[in-house]
């Protein structure tokens, strides 16, 4: 079976952290569950667990706001049900913080019996932010914010969700040899399912609180044991019956297959500076591809600081739906700023050993480290805000992705394109009559 977890580089967790065990078990569970991988969407919360996004490059992933992961997952289900769209299977990865901050969202998902699987990574403390106590911290456990022991009893998650009408709840220590099968059972089950994962945080729960693996077993027994705690018949149809149909789009992307003669899959990675239009350029290119009748996928990345640092976008364009997935080595790599160049290099897409058949960098960027690249006056020609769009438009023209009309139609439909100067950049590339 194909693995979904990318372990080519080590997992980004502290030695002994339960998260690594869970992600490996989740990888096996998805393979065993029988769920169509293309329908799986991993919805992650803020915290250590949120680092899982880029570790599953062949699955859809969404990084949600703190505590809102379950709500985002339910929104996907509501839309899919109301639109009669292809089914999606959200798997929510949430830690102590997300589960307690977003507790009402979990309750609401249970009430709706949404077809969502929630994995609660309960390592007893807030691991990423300094070992503070959480709503699930055992009474009496020392933490960085309760050095004398937590004075508050922990929330009974199973009891809360049972009262909310949840259909399925299971619990497991981590690691456990049964974990992949337990997760697979929860994923395969229709309707709302939650699995509480009692994990060890080696940095804070262990060093500050003195928690050991044996303690996790004792905590599991105190909270009702391991395995399936309750399994009720699913209330299928609840969300479909209540979901309103989505509002029609004002500017639907009606495809024009004659606008593209692309006979292969093209994958592009472009990196620049945050705030300079990299991701909006990728969205415009994706819209143009869709208008030309191609299948398209987009993935973007930037630091949580948003306005500083790098900005990356990956595009996959294909005449074949099955091939239109971003993951995979890029055929074309474009760098327009030092920050983006560094981020592309960290991913192994620039320099010696890069898988790209073609690399284009702005004329002002440095070389070295085995970098073989074509140099273009991207910033000088299109300006900092237009360099990313100019680079993608030039690549499109030279590679025959789709006709200029697709670009122009996309710019007319996407909000903000006029403000960002897209028309000026496209005219610079294609000319007023559409010639490249």
């Amino acid at each position: 079976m194909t693995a979904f977890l990318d372990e080519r580089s080590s997992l980004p967790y502290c030695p002994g952290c339960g998260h690594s065990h869970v992600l490996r078990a989740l990888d096996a569970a998805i393979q065993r569950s029988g769920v169509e991988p293309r329908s799986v969407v991993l919805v992650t919360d803020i915290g250590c667990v949120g680092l899982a996004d880029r570790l599953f490059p062949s699955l859809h992933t969404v990084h949600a706001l703190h505590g809102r992961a379950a709500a985002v997952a339910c929104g996907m289900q509501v839309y899919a049900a109301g639109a009669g769209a292809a089914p999606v299977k959200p798997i929510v990865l949430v830690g102590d913080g997300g589960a307690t901050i977003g507790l009402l969202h979990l309750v609401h998902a249970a009430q709706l019996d949404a077809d969502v699987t929630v994995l609660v990574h309960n390592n007893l403390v807030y691991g990423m932010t300094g070992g503070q106590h959480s709503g699930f911290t055992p009474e009496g456990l020392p933490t960085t914010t309760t050095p004398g022991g937590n004075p508050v009893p922990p929330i009974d998650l199973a009891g809360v969700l049972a009262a909310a009408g949840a259909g399925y709840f299971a619990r497991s220590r981590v690691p456990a040899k049964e974990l992949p099968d337990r997760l697979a059972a929860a994923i395969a089950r229709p309707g709302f399912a939650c699995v509480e994962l009692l994990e060890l945080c080696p940095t804070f729960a262990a060093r500050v609180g003195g928690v050991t693996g044996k303690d996790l077993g004792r905590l599991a027994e105190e909270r009702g044991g391991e395995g399936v705690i309750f399994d009720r018949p699913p209330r299928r149809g609840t969300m479909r019956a209540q979901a309103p149909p989505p509002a029609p789009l004002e500017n639907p992307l009606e495809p024009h297959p004659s606008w593209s003669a692309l006979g292969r899959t093209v994958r592009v990675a472009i990196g620049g500076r945050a705030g300079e239009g990299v991701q909006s350029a990728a969205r415009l290119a994706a819209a143009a591809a869709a208008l030309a009748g191609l299948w398209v996928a987009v993935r973007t990345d930037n630091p949580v600081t948003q306005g500083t640092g790098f900005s990356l976008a990956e595009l996959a364009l294909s005449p074949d739906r099955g091939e239109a997935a971003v993951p995979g080595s890029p055929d074309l790599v474009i760098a327009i700023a030092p920050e983006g160049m560094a981020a592309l290099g960290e991913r192994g897409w620039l320099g010696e050993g890069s898988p790209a058949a073609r690399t284009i960098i702005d004329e002002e960027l440095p070389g070295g480290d085995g970098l073989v690249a074509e140099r273009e006056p991207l910033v000088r020609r299109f300006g900092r805000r237009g360099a990313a769009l100019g680079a993608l438009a030039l690549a499109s023209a030279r590679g025959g992705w789709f006709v200029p009309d697709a670009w122009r139609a996309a710019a007319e439909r996407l909000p903000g394109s006029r403000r960002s100067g897209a028309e000026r950049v496209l005219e610079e590339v294609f000319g007023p009559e559409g010639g490249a």
Side-chain angles (χ1 to χ4, degrees):
M1 288 188 239
T2 301
F4 304 108
L5 179 64
D6 184 357
E7 292 196 70
R8 286 177 294 180
S9 57
S10 59
L11 300 185
Y13 298 112
C14 302
C17 175
H19 288 6
S20 296
H21 296 286
V22 173
L23 296 187
R24 293 188 180 103
L26 176 60
D27 184 27
I30 295 172
Q31 298 174 56
R32 299 178 190 181
S33 68
V35 173
E36 169 57 50
R38 196 175 296 170
S39 71
V40 173
V41 184
L42 299 184
V43 185
T44 62
D45 206 86
I46 302 298
C48 297
V49 69
L51 300 174
D53 294 343
R54 67 180 57 181
L55 301 177
F56 288 86
S58 60
L59 298 178
H60 299 294
T61 61
V62 175
H63 195 64
L65 297 175
H66 205 4
R68 307 302 186 258
V72 170
C74 286
M76 296 176 188
Q77 288 288 0
V78 168
Y79 182 86
V88 295
K89 183 67 180 185
I91 301 175
V92 176
L93 308 182
V94 60
D96 308 25
T100 50
I101 291 171
L103 186 60
L104 187 56
H105 292 306
L106 293 180
V107 167
H108 198 211
Q111 289 175 314
L112 290 170
D113 196 29
D115 192 11
V116 171
T117 303
V118 179
L119 308 185
V120 178
H121 298 248
N122 182 3
N123 58 13
L124 313 179
V125 294
Y126 289 177
M128 177 171 276
T129 57
Q132 301 92 334
H133 68 289
S134 77
F136 296 150
T137 300
E139 188 172 7
L141 183 72
T143 72
T144 56
T145 47
T146 59
N150 179 34
V152 180
I155 294 170
D156 177 5
L157 183 60
V160 169
L161 294 181
Y168 184 94
F169 189 94
R171 182 181 294 114
S172 180
R173 282 177 294 171
V174 176
K177 64 179 181 180
E178 304 88 355
L179 186 55
D181 289 333
R182 286 177 180 168
L183 297 182
I187 294 168
R189 183 191 181 281
F192 180 83
C194 180
V195 181
E196 181 184 22
L197 302 161
L198 293 175
E199 307 178 28
L200 185 64
C201 172
T203 303
F204 292 108
R207 294 180 185 175
V208 178
V211 179
T212 66
K214 291 183 178 179
D215 292 326
L216 296 180
R218 177 179 54 79
L219 288 171
E221 290 303 315
E222 290 176 356
R223 298 181 183 190
E226 295 185 70
V228 178
I229 307 304
F230 58 81
D231 186 359
R232 302 162 174 168
R235 293 178 282 111
R236 298 297 288 161
T238 303
M239 293 192 69
R240 184 168 294 276
Q242 296 181 354
L249 296 174
E250 293 183 4
N251 296 300
L253 297 179
E254 298 174 1
H256 299 263
S258 63
W259 284 359
S260 177
L262 190 67
R264 60 189 177 87
T265 300
V266 174
R267 290 188 170 85
V268 183
I270 181 168
R273 183 180 292 116
E276 294 187 354
V278 171
Q279 296 181 18
S280 59
R283 286 192 291 270
L284 185 57
L291 283 164
L294 297 173
W295 295 96
V296 59
V298 183
R299 181 166 60 186
T300 60
D301 190 15
N302 59 274
V304 294
T305 47
Q306 299 289 334
T308 60
F310 71 88
S311 182
L312 288 184
E314 298 172 67
L315 281 165
L317 316 174
S318 180
D320 182 351
R321 178 176 181 175
E323 290 293 319
V326 168
S329 300
D331 309 302
L332 170 64
V333 174
I334 303 170
I336 58 176
E339 294 88 342
M341 191 173 186
L344 291 165
E346 288 175 0
R347 287 158 174 76
W349 295 339
L350 273 184
E352 189 174 359
S354 168
R358 188 179 180 197
T359 299
I360 300 173
I361 67 173
D362 184 74
E363 62 182 359
E364 297 297 326
L365 293 176
D369 297 326
L371 178 63
V372 178
E374 304 167 37
R375 294 185 174 273
E376 294 273 3
L378 299 172
V379 173
R380 180 160 57 88
R381 182 177 180 184
F382 302 109
R384 292 202 173 277
R385 290 282 306 174
L389 179 56
L392 291 174
L394 284 172
S396 168
R398 295 167 181 172
W401 299 353
F402 33 76
V403 299
D405 284 345
W407 282 104
R408 293 197 175 92
E412 290 174 0
R413 284 164 171 78
L414 289 192
S417 292
R418 188 177 299 275
R419 292 194 306 273
S420 67
E423 291 180 355
R424 176 191 61 80
V425 173
L426 295 177
E427 184 169 332
E428 170 71 21
V429 175
F430 299 110
E433 302 301 322

